[in-house]
Amino acid sequence: MSGESVAFVHASDFHLEQPPYGLTEIPDHLRQILADAPMQAAARVFETAILEDVDFVLLSGDLVDPQTSGARALAFLLEQFELLREQRIAVYWIGGQLDGPDRWPEELVLPDNVQLFPRGQLKQCLFRRNDHPVATIIGVSSGGDGAVDAGLFRIEPTDRFTVALAYGRTEASSLAGYKQIDYWALGGLHQAKTLFQSPQTACYPGSPQGRSIDEPGLHGCTLGRVDRGRTAQTKFIPTDCLRWCSESIAMPESTHRNDLQRHLRGRMQRIAAEANGCSILMAWQIETEGALAGQLRGGLDRELVDWLRTEFGRAQPVVWTTELKVKSSAVVPAESYEEDTILGDFLRAVRQHRQNERMPLDFTGYLPERGKNRALAAVFDTGEDVSRLGLLEEAAALGADLLRGEDVL
Ligand SMILES: [Mn+2]
């Protein structure tokens, strides 16, 4: 490609059908922000492409589930593609789990600047400038099994800058042998991840908008430029309008609540200053023992959440506290497990669940009738051992706090 420069934006996993989730309470002033966040973030991706005057946009799957998103999201995508067409920006799009070519409604005709790649077999496109081929773009929509089939990407070597669009899990070692491919535009991960960089690059840009506390921190897209040779210089561009954060602070057990508040205020001021206009959803964890742990579990936690929300939750930028949890390492004393009390019964039940991993944690009995077979039930379906053990540990500590001193039934 000797001397030709190329610029592009790479993004994936818009998930326009999925609003942010996992908040137990949603204040009125955040409703609209939450509802609009996925589309706003995607709009910023396209804005970036136009402002940076790129040649093409690479979209690596899971932009939208056409079956559940509703018409607004589909109309939005078409509108954005049209804006890019007006600017003569090409779009190369591979389908992921949700947005394969067979799932896109036939009657919604894509503008002619958009190339949606087929499933199952690699397709090769040439990006031309003034009729002169400048870059090769190859890609394939996901076969649905969630992994990149690297074997599909063998092509004849050329001297042009070459991009491969692929969706799903993969590793650096699976892609490193493909010397012909300069930039792997990967999709399917919601957190950004670079597998390798320079001279060749393989990266997942992540979703432009985090959806829950499991997708914390900055979200955005990747801006790439190739000036000389075939190596892309990349830059992460934040696009999220709502950011999930969590912080943990350790406090000695003798800490007075005023000192804890002063500490929290200082951290919140710093978080607000660094938010850069983005709304922040903040989860706190206080690591402490003894007296302070007792006070927090006994209602101070709720008071602090209310105070943090009043002080920072309605300011500009919004820093909304989603939760404040207490974590103490103090173990429940061994003799409590042998007590002939309600606490003893409770702790023995917890211990049984801890020792026998196959014993299901069945919470369905505590769910309202309507939630039993639905989304709410899925939340309690604890698949991972890590969360199971953590949950049981927390249950034991909470039980020891609340049940101590109760007699036998
Ligand atoms: Mn996804």
Side-chain angles (χ1 to χ4, degrees):
M1 65 165 261
S2 47
E4 291 278 9
S5 66
V6 182
F8 59 88
V9 157
H10 171 207
S12 80
D13 297 86
F14 291 176
H15 284 285
L16 297 176
E17 77 289 346
Q18 174 69 68
Y21 58 89
L23 289 176
T24 45
E25 309 154 70
I26 301 172
D28 286 343
H29 70 293
L30 279 184
R31 270 170 213 274
Q32 205 56 45
I33 298 177
L34 282 160
D36 292 343
M39 249 183 247
Q40 283 249 1
R44 286 183 186 175
V45 170
F46 294 117
E47 254 170 53
T48 303
I50 292 171
L51 286 172
E52 297 288 340
D53 196 21
V54 302
D55 297 298
F56 48 82
V57 174
L58 304 167
L59 299 173
S60 307
D62 280 358
L63 302 189
V64 65
D65 180 351
Q67 259 87 79
T68 61
S69 68
R72 189 174 157 227
L74 302 183
F76 163 84
L77 261 190
L78 286 177
E79 208 175 283
Q80 297 295 320
F81 289 158
E82 190 57 45
L83 287 175
L84 294 180
R85 199 182 73 90
E86 286 167 15
Q87 303 294 324
R88 296 167 176 275
I89 297 174
V91 177
Y92 299 100
W93 173 17
I94 53 163
Q97 306 269 51
L98 306 173
D99 53 350
D102 45 317
R103 302 195 84 213
W104 182 261
E106 250 173 71
E107 58 279 17
L108 298 181
V109 179
L110 295 168
D112 60 11
N113 60 322
V114 180
Q115 178 63 242
L116 177 53
F117 288 77
R119 244 186 229 282
Q121 95 191 70
L122 192 77
K123 180 171 170 144
Q124 187 162 341
C125 303
L126 278 183
F127 174 77
R128 295 168 195 273
R129 189 184 293 132
N130 306 321
D131 279 340
H132 178 65
V134 176
T136 303
I137 289 116
I138 57 177
V140 59
S141 284
S142 167
D145 65 350
V148 172
D149 183 358
L152 289 172
F153 288 84
R154 291 184 205 290
I155 50 162
E156 288 297 308
T158 67
D159 60 353
R160 274 186 299 276
F161 177 65
T162 301
V163 172
L165 288 141
Y167 175 94
R169 294 179 311 276
T170 188
E171 294 166 11
S173 57
S174 316
L175 308 182
Y178 293 77
K179 297 298 175 209
Q180 173 55 31
I181 294 166
D182 301 298
Y183 186 91
W184 286 93
L186 302 171
L189 288 193
H190 293 187
Q191 298 297 95
K193 186 176 178 185
T194 299
L195 298 184
F196 49 82
Q197 194 155 32
S198 210
Q200 291 156 297
T201 303
C203 95
Y204 292 93
S207 176
Q209 173 61 58
R211 292 306 197 282
S212 75
I213 192 67
D214 296 329
E215 299 176 6
L218 289 174
H219 281 76
C221 60
T222 302
L223 176 65
R225 283 187 195 283
V226 185
D227 287 324
R228 253 175 301 130
R230 292 171 51 164
T231 298
Q233 306 297 324
T234 59
K235 187 179 170 192
F236 180 77
I237 309 285
T239 54
D240 48 357
C241 0
L242 186 74
R243 197 166 297 154
W244 302 78
C245 300
S246 58
E247 286 221 20
S248 191
I249 51 178
M251 284 280 156
E253 61 172 277
S254 56
T255 309
H256 190 266
R257 67 173 284 173
N258 290 350
D259 294 323
L260 176 55
Q261 268 180 286
R262 195 169 318 124
H263 209 89
L264 286 167
R265 178 184 279 122
R267 293 264 192 130
M268 286 295 260
Q269 283 165 340
R270 203 196 66 219
I271 291 160
E274 290 168 359
N276 224 336
C278 198
S279 300
I280 307 286
L281 297 170
M282 194 66 219
W284 285 105
Q285 179 170 279
I286 317 278
E287 290 172 43
T288 190
E289 315 292 337
L292 183 59
Q295 276 183 52
L296 284 165
R297 290 207 175 96
L300 179 57
D301 54 352
R302 189 66 227 177
E303 276 176 53
L304 289 175
V305 167
D306 289 344
W307 166 73
L308 285 165
R309 287 179 177 176
T310 313
E311 196 99 330
F312 298 96
R314 289 163 205 286
Q316 228 16 278
V318 174
V319 185
W320 183 258
T321 300
T322 56
E323 63 176 20
L324 185 144
K325 275 195 187 167
V326 191
K327 191 184 174 215
S328 44
S329 58
V331 278
V332 179
E335 58 267 26
S336 304
Y337 282 85
E338 310 312 325
E339 283 178 17
D340 192 14
T341 58
I342 294 177
L343 174 59
D345 286 342
F346 177 79
L347 290 174
R348 284 188 290 277
V350 171
R351 184 170 59 192
Q352 255 189 312
H353 281 81
R354 199 185 290 166
Q355 286 165 346
N356 185 353
E357 281 174 25
R358 294 219 191 106
M359 221 171 153
L361 292 181
D362 187 7
F363 299 106
T364 45
Y366 304 97
L367 293 177
E369 198 51 45
R370 240 158 39 96
K372 277 192 181 160
N373 301 313
R374 306 183 47 198
L376 196 54
V379 174
F380 289 99
D381 184 15
T382 52
E384 283 171 53
D385 291 346
V386 184
S387 61
R388 179 187 166 95
L389 281 177
L391 205 61
L392 288 169
E393 219 163 88
E394 223 174 288
L398 194 63
D401 271 357
L402 297 174
L403 298 174
R404 174 138 351 261
E406 301 284 326
D407 288 328
V408 216
L409 272 175

